[in-house]
Amino acid sequence: MITALITALLIVAFIWLSRGSGRRLGLVGVIGLLLSFLTLPFVDVVGARSDQGLAPTALALASQYPQLWLAPLLSVLALVVVALRSSEWLGGTVLAASGAVSLLVALLFRNGQDRFLTLAPVPGVLELGLPLALAAGLYLLMRASQPTGRARVALLLTTVLVPLALAALLFSSLGASLFPSLRGYYQITRATTAQQTGLITHDWQLDVRDYLQADVAKRASDWQATRALLAKPAAGTDRAKQRRDYYGLQDQYELYRRTPGDATPLPATITTPAAMPYGYAPGPDSSNAGVRRTIARAQEYGYQSWVLFSVLALGGGLIALSRRTLVLESGAAATRRRAELGSALLLALVVVVVASGLHSTGFNFRDLWVNFPWIVDFLDRATPPDATFLSDVMREMLITINIALIGTVVGAAFALPLSLLAARNLTQNSPLTRAAYWITRTFFNVDRSVDTLILALILVAAVGLGPFAGALAMAVHSIADLGKLYSEAIENADRGPIEALESAGAPGTSVVRWGLLPQVLPLFLSYTLYRFEINFRVSIVLGFVGAGGIGFILNETMRGGQYPKAAVALLVIVLVVNVLDSISSIIRRRVI
């Protein structure tokens, strides 16, 4: 939560200092609150086993936590007020109030009860939601491209028929077998029954007696031992492990809402589920009966997004209230408000997507800080570099350069003729050339979608370990990348010389040779040099999968703990990369 708060405050401060639109920022906040409420996982709901847990949305939890409804209701009110061309004062007030109340709701939820509940699936939500989202995306794409004539009709049919086909697939038996997790994915919460309540209290007595009480004592002992180790000098790798243990125990105490090191015994019996201490999951019998427990401190990224959007709405509203804006005429004001709503929706979607990406990658700065002693220890062990290893490194570096060079040259040799077939302005004169255009473009798209590393894995299995597999993978992938760049350069070439030669009756080869190539060859050379730079960097990684070069020797030295030798390889890589970049940039400046 702290990270979300700091990020939001920095954004608000930037908008304030840069004299940005407070109302647009507030709209981003309220739209983001709606998206967080409807779509993002809010907190963890757990059972006795790990496979019984899930992370429902705030909407799914709202039946047991009615205060959660305040945020979306106030957000809708704020959108209505802004859309109705209200005064700047009223719009800012509603935006700020929506953000303040939503932030308060999040804080109260975090410090509220860990409630017991049951889950009931809601059929058809994703089966309908995904096609509707696809239809909305296709419609926005059509609006942005502004097609006319047959292209408009084709896009309209695509916008309607493709989502309908997807919905039919998802609702069919084939869709159930292909995407089994979609059925009943969205669930709502319900209160527990009297029978389930009895199972909760009975399970607690058994769990406390069997292992929970011992876990409390062990956790307190581990805490004291970890703090004692942190107070003593330690090597970098050991220190990193001690930090991981320390913060892991701190997180556990946070979930249980206990002071770190607290060894107070748990109650042996409870009369009601509400008396169960915070953070503990229901027992096996009650979990098998459908009981789950909300852990309010186990926040998911939907909760973090909720906090961030709340502060954005609050800050945006306050900025709007603190400034006097120019009063526009009715038509200009309506256009401005529509533009603000559209950009706010887009920005909110971007933030939601980024939050989802941060969650799925496990990105956080605390883990970097916790494991930073390992990095310091690595640098210490790698110093000084082993100079006797330099000859081996230079030999492998030469192989790496040759892999990139041969891959680029072979790729360019095949890409040049193929790019002529992939250029729209050269292939629209006959059905045969149009067919060649679509075939070549499809090949480029398929080839570019397969990464060089994947190609190297396949080719290493096919032709064996060594640089040949790496050069071949590099060449295959470069054909598509260079071919696409070459064809776009051809399509943007000046039509004047080409039309002059065609009107004079020159054959096609002469048109290409004298009217087209003089225009595009400097660009071709620039693109080829740039591709060589990329291929060189990629060829370093190819060695990790057995495709030869300096990457192979770097991987072996790192895995063997030979850090001084690995340091030599790293230094040579940095030096050669900078040298090649400088040479390439000099050549490009002189050619173009």
Side-chain angles (χ1 to χ4, degrees), residues 131-132 134-135 157-171:
L132 288 175
L134 177 61
L157 291 175
T158 302
T159 303
V160 174
L161 296 179
V162 172
L164 286 177
L166 177 60
L169 173 63
L170 294 179
F171 277 105

Side-chain angles (χ1 to χ4, degrees), residues 147-233:
T148 58
R150 293 182 178 179
R152 179 179 177 82
V153 175
L155 281 176
L156 280 173
L157 291 175
T158 302
T159 303
V160 174
L161 296 179
V162 172
L164 286 177
L166 177 60
L169 173 63
L170 294 179
F171 277 105
S172 67
S173 57
L174 177 61
S177 61
L178 292 176
F179 312 103
S181 59
L182 290 184
R183 297 295 174 93
Y185 176 82
Y186 207 92
Q187 304 185 55
I188 59 173
T189 57
R190 296 175 179 174
T192 56
T193 64
Q195 182 181 5
Q196 290 171 332
T197 299
L199 290 174
I200 294 170
T201 56
H202 180 262
D203 279 346
W204 174 256
Q205 298 174 15
L206 297 178
D207 291 345
V208 168
R209 183 193 64 191
D210 292 341
Y211 66 93
L212 289 182
Q213 204 69 267
D215 283 352
V216 171
K218 184 179 184 305
R219 190 177 302 110
S221 175
D222 291 343
W223 174 261
Q224 299 299 332
T226 302
R227 293 195 63 186
L229 290 173
L230 286 172
K232 301 177 182 178

Side-chain angles (χ1 to χ4, degrees), residues 388-405:
T388 61
F389 197 57
L390 183 60
S391 60
D392 295 333
V393 170
M394 292 305 297
R395 183 183 66 251
E396 297 299 327
M397 174 56 73
L398 183 60
I399 294 175
T400 300
I401 294 174
N402 287 329
I403 290 174
L405 178 63

Side-chain angles (χ1 to χ4, degrees), residues 250-312:
Q250 195 176 64
D251 290 342
Q252 291 181 35
Y253 279 112
E254 174 70 13
L255 290 181
Y256 299 129
R257 306 193 197 184
R258 285 178 164 234
T259 304
D262 184 6
T264 304
L266 298 172
T269 60
I270 56 174
T271 56
T272 62
M276 183 186 292
Y278 294 114
Y280 288 95
D285 291 340
S286 54
S287 295
N288 292 334
V291 177
R292 302 291 183 269
R293 194 182 194 191
T294 303
I295 308 299
R297 294 289 177 94
Q299 298 132 9
E300 288 287 340
Y301 68 95
Y303 182 91
Q304 312 291 339
S305 301
W306 180 298
V307 172
L308 184 140
F309 285 124
S310 298
V311 177
L312 294 184

